[in-house]
Amino acid sequence: MSTLQRTRTWLTAHPLALDAALALGVLTCMLAGSFVDPHAEHPDKWGTRTPDAVGITLMVLAAAALVARRRSPLPVLAATSALTLTELVTGDPRAPVAMAAVLALYTVASTTDRPTTWRVGLLTMTALTATAMLVGPAPWYDQENIGIFAWTGMAATAGDAVRSRRAFVAAIRERAERAERTREEEARRRVAEERLRIARDLHDVVAHHIALVNVQAGVAAHVMDKRPDQAKEALAHVREASRSALGELRATVGLLRQSGDPEAPTEPAPGLTRLGELVGTFHSAGLAVDVVRADEGSTLPAAVDLAAYRVIQEALTNVQKHAGTQAKAEVSVVRVGPNVEITVLDNGARNPGARNPGAPNPGAPNPGGAGGGHGLLGMRERVTALGGTLTTGPRYGGGFRVHAILPLTSRTARAEAPARP
């Protein structure tokens, strides 16, 4: 850092020292200007007059007042204007005390608002110029009198321009900081949403496959001694379910890799095209599942397809865990207008509050799916995120019902669509 830069940094950190140096410079200019006669011929302008004691005193007092110009701009302007008026009335020859008033007026204009600048500037300009014209040398439009008018007007204009530029720069900086905060908040929100989505996927994968592994391991342990062939088949199902769980976990966790990491997952997300494979895993676990599809073979959007698959997977997993060994499940996928409706029913006998302890009435559905574990919560979040509705609750006469309505278009697209008459 150069000497000039260090000096500028120090003066910025010590504004009082900067004002003192400025006041000293103004005093030097006033003293030098007091020896110049503007009416003399060009070769004889310097040294043709000498300031008197009163003029020197007024110049020193005006310069001393400038030291406090940042802390008290209006009182300093009033003091320097009063000293200037005194010099205009009593000074003969005149001393350029008006320099201090001009600088004080600039300070007021650069640190206050525009209405204050207009009022104070016009008052100062009128008072100083009128006094100079009334008591100054004839004619009234002498260059000294007009000079006071010009310098005070320029000081007010320059100070207002500086204040406007500072306000403009501050506004730009504030907008940039606000935009930066908005970007950070948006990034945090997207990270939170991505974490929630990954957590839902992990829960769906783990809950489904671990439930199957648990059931098949229990079957193998039960028939190990009497039916080793059936135990071997159950263990094969355990191995297949664990392999599928590891594969889906690897694909899900792979989403957390950085862009430069190798082996990024390329397998598409599961959808209703894999519904038969999903139902087959439950058949292997001993759960009877009937599937009815009336979706007209339509292709669903990727988000809707994934949500439908996960809802069915979680609902059947809950049936496997809670409905008992003799339970049966029914899955229906129906296309109804702009929506696709997913319904999963079972006839299992269980405690009505086991799946949904928050339901107030065993015979009435729970529209929001309140209560229960993370499975119902995850299903509700998935469906709500797509603008759909989820209804869960015990069935009349026993069993449980999960009903999801998924719109084929997002809420944003529906809002932008033209209104139908």
Side-chain angles (χ1 to χ4, degrees):
M1 182 181 294
S2 63
T3 304
L4 180 60
Q5 291 176 338
R6 284 196 298 268
T7 303
R8 182 181 301 173
T9 303
W10 186 86
L11 290 175
T12 303
H14 300 81
L16 186 61
L18 178 60
D19 290 337
L22 182 61
L24 181 60
V26 171
L27 178 60
T28 303
C29 293
M30 288 190 296
L31 290 174
S34 62
F35 288 92
V36 178
D37 183 6
H39 299 283
E41 297 296 332
H42 180 69
D44 300 326
K45 285 182 178 290
W46 178 259
T48 55
R49 63 178 183 175
T50 303
D52 55 8
V54 176
I56 294 176
T57 302
L58 293 175
M59 286 187 288
V60 172
L61 292 176
L66 292 177
V67 177
R69 69 185 186 94
R70 293 178 189 266
R71 292 176 294 178
S72 305
L74 288 174
V76 168
L77 176 60
T80 54
S81 298
L83 293 173
T84 302
L85 290 174
T86 303
E87 170 59 25
L88 292 176
V89 174
T90 62
D92 189 19
R94 289 180 178 178
V97 184
M99 285 186 182
V102 168
L103 183 58
L105 179 58
Y106 166 82
T107 304
V108 170
S110 62
T111 55
T112 59
D113 53 2
R114 181 163 295 173
T116 302
T117 299
W118 275 97
R119 290 193 295 266
V120 175
L122 287 175
L123 179 61
T124 303
M125 186 187 308
T126 303
L128 297 184
T129 304
T131 302
M133 290 180 177
L134 289 176
V135 302
W140 62 269
Y141 53 84
D142 186 76
Q143 61 180 354
E144 290 188 55
N145 304 332
I146 301 300
I148 293 177
F149 175 81
W151 281 106
T152 51
M154 286 190 294
T157 303
D160 183 72
V162 170
R163 180 196 55 78
S164 299
R165 176 172 176 77
R166 289 174 182 170
F168 177 72
V169 172
I172 292 178
R173 184 179 293 110
E174 194 275 335
R175 283 198 297 269
E177 293 175 354
R178 186 169 62 249
E180 184 66 23
R181 289 194 302 269
T182 303
R183 284 194 296 269
E184 292 177 357
E185 292 173 359
E186 179 67 16
R188 286 194 294 268
R189 184 186 65 81
R190 292 190 177 186
V191 168
E193 290 179 353
E194 183 67 12
R195 288 176 177 174
L196 181 60
R197 187 187 65 79
I198 294 175
R200 285 200 300 261
D201 287 342
L202 287 175
H203 171 268
D204 294 341
V205 171
V206 171
H208 167 60
H209 290 290
I210 296 303
L212 296 180
V213 168
N214 181 54
V215 171
Q216 295 293 345
V219 171
H222 181 69
V223 300
M224 179 67 71
D225 297 331
K226 298 180 179 180
R227 300 178 182 177
D229 295 338
Q230 188 174 354
K232 184 182 298 184
E233 182 180 356
L235 292 177
H237 290 309
V238 169
R239 184 177 60 183
E240 183 64 27
S242 61
R243 183 185 298 112
S244 299
L246 288 176
E248 293 199 26
L249 283 174
R250 187 180 300 110
T252 303
V253 176
L255 297 175
L256 302 176
R257 293 193 182 102
Q258 300 296 328
S259 58
D261 292 342
E263 298 183 3
T266 57
E267 183 180 357
L272 293 182
T273 55
R274 295 176 57 182
L275 182 57
E277 178 183 346
L278 176 66
V279 171
T281 60
F282 285 101
H283 283 161
S284 301
L287 177 64
V289 181
D290 294 332
V291 179
V292 177
R293 297 192 61 174
D295 51 352
E296 303 175 357
S298 58
T299 301
L300 303 180
V304 176
D305 200 19
L306 175 61
Y309 180 87
R310 292 304 188 192
V311 167
I312 296 173
Q313 182 185 49
E314 180 61 30
L316 292 178
T317 301
N318 287 339
V319 175
Q320 182 73 45
K321 291 192 295 185
H322 303 294
T325 57
Q326 302 301 321
K328 295 182 180 180
E330 299 178 5
V331 178
S332 65
V333 182
V334 181
R335 171 75 179 272
V336 181
N339 304 320
V340 58
E341 297 188 9
I342 309 295
T343 305
V344 180
L345 307 174
D346 69 82
N347 61 349
R350 69 177 74 78
N351 180 10
R355 195 96 59 92
N356 189 8
N361 184 358
N366 181 11
H374 296 287
L376 294 180
L377 178 63
M379 284 193 291
R380 185 173 69 252
E381 289 175 348
R382 284 186 182 277
V383 174
T384 304
L386 297 175
T389 58
L390 177 73
T391 304
T392 62
R395 299 173 61 192
Y396 181 78
F400 204 81
R401 176 178 182 268
V402 175
H403 181 67
I405 301 177
L406 299 173
L408 299 181
T409 57
S410 64
R411 288 174 292 184
T412 304
R414 294 199 306 271
E416 294 177 353
R420 298 178 60 184

